[in-house]
Amino acid sequence: MNILKAYIEKKKVKNYYKSYYYKNSFYAYDFFERYNLIETFDKTFSFSSLIHFKGKIEFNISSKEIFIKLGESRYTSNHEEIKNYQILHYKNKINDLKNRSQLHIYNDMFFYGIQLFPYLSSIQKEELIQLLKNKYSIPSDEHLPFKIKDKQNNILFVSDNLNLSLEYITGNEMMLSTLFATKEKILNKTMLRLNNKKQALIDIL
């Protein structure tokens, strides 16, 4: 019985640190912050085909379809405020290059993905950037960051924030509008609650 209890406690601790790592590590991106930042970049390159995450994951597909194509995620986290918002975390290698990725799912639809390539040498980073430029027809003298948009308004944003970062955003405006409206309602409720607490304090002064 003590062995079973010790095993359960050990698993709880392991899951806690795993959760902390994925939520607080250098690649724990917040979608809303990143989206607002990416929207400020006016210069956009057009891509005649469709942008797919990792070249094979279409936007708006379900988590089940993602698992079929990528396998089970290493860890799945839930958004702290928004219901039905999950983040699938993957950690693997691509041609011996370490790769970290997230796929954000809302109402069981994939809408935002991130690929990070940590620990690249300057030569490796430059080679990957050149491959991206060749694939998406970006001028060879263009500097990071650059934003690419396909015929369905899906976006690929490439930047270098210590690690080479590739961010993929759906062009599904209805889905994004629903998500942002949900976020706005949560913010309004939070502000109302804080204001009520503040007023209650003022009333007793």
Side-chain angles (χ1 to χ4, degrees):
M1 194 70 177
N2 289 335
I3 295 175
L4 178 60
K5 186 177 180 181
Y7 171 76
I8 292 173
E9 288 301 317
K10 185 177 179 181
K11 193 169 183 180
K12 283 182 179 178
V13 171
K14 184 178 180 181
N15 287 338
Y16 169 79
Y17 282 109
K18 196 174 184 181
S19 171
Y20 181 85
Y21 172 76
Y22 281 105
K23 287 182 179 179
N24 299 282
S25 67
F26 60 89
Y27 63 98
Y29 279 29
D30 178 83
F31 165 71
F32 299 98
E33 290 180 3
R34 296 301 300 171
Y35 181 86
N36 289 331
L37 173 66
I38 291 168
E39 281 294 286
T40 65
F41 285 81
D42 294 326
K43 188 175 182 180
T44 303
F45 296 94
S46 298
F47 185 54
S48 58
S49 188
L50 291 177
I51 293 170
H52 292 151
F53 182 77
K54 290 200 170 187
K56 57 185 174 182
I57 303 296
E58 302 90 352
F59 288 106
N60 306 317
I61 66 172
S62 67
S63 54
K64 184 177 180 180
E65 292 174 287
I66 291 171
F67 294 149
I68 291 172
K69 295 187 177 185
L70 294 182
E72 290 288 333
S73 59
R74 181 174 286 253
Y75 180 74
T76 300
S77 60
N78 295 305
H79 195 280
E80 294 181 350
E81 298 175 319
I82 301 175
K83 293 180 180 179
N84 301 320
Y85 186 146
Q86 292 82 37
I87 305 172
L88 310 179
H89 304 262
Y90 288 84
K91 181 180 178 182
N92 52 23
K93 285 187 177 182
I94 301 175
N95 292 339
D96 294 326
L97 300 177
K98 290 184 178 181
N99 179 264
R100 309 287 185 266
S101 56
Q102 293 180 12
L103 293 93
H104 291 228
I105 315 292
Y106 180 60
N107 288 336
D108 206 28
M109 293 173 64
F110 168 56
F111 70 94
Y112 173 56
I114 310 151
Q115 284 201 81
L116 286 181
F117 292 90
Y119 316 119
L120 293 176
S121 68
S122 56
I123 293 174
Q124 290 173 324
K125 186 177 290 186
E126 190 55 44
E127 285 178 348
L128 276 177
I129 293 171
Q130 194 56 53
L131 287 172
L132 285 164
K133 288 179 177 179
N134 292 340
K135 178 175 180 177
Y136 294 101
S137 302
I138 305 297
S140 59
D141 60 349
E142 187 68 29
H143 297 291
L144 293 180
F146 48 78
K147 185 164 96 173
I148 305 158
K149 187 175 286 190
D150 69 15
K151 57 187 179 182
Q152 291 185 354
N153 291 322
N154 300 315
I155 291 172
L156 169 59
F157 185 73
V158 183
S159 60
D160 184 7
N161 304 306
L162 297 179
N163 303 290
L164 185 63
S165 169
L166 283 67
E167 297 176 70
Y168 305 74
I169 301 175
T170 183
N172 186 336
E173 293 184 5
M174 184 178 294
M175 189 268 190
L176 290 176
S177 294
T178 301
L179 180 58
F180 272 91
T182 301
K183 177 70 172 178
E184 187 68 21
K185 286 180 182 178
I186 292 171
L187 287 175
N188 289 339
K189 286 182 180 179
T190 301
M191 289 302 300
L192 179 61
R193 187 165 60 250
L194 291 174
N195 288 336
N196 287 340
K197 286 183 178 180
K198 185 178 179 180
Q199 186 59 49
L201 181 59
I202 291 172
D203 290 343
I204 65 170
L205 295 177

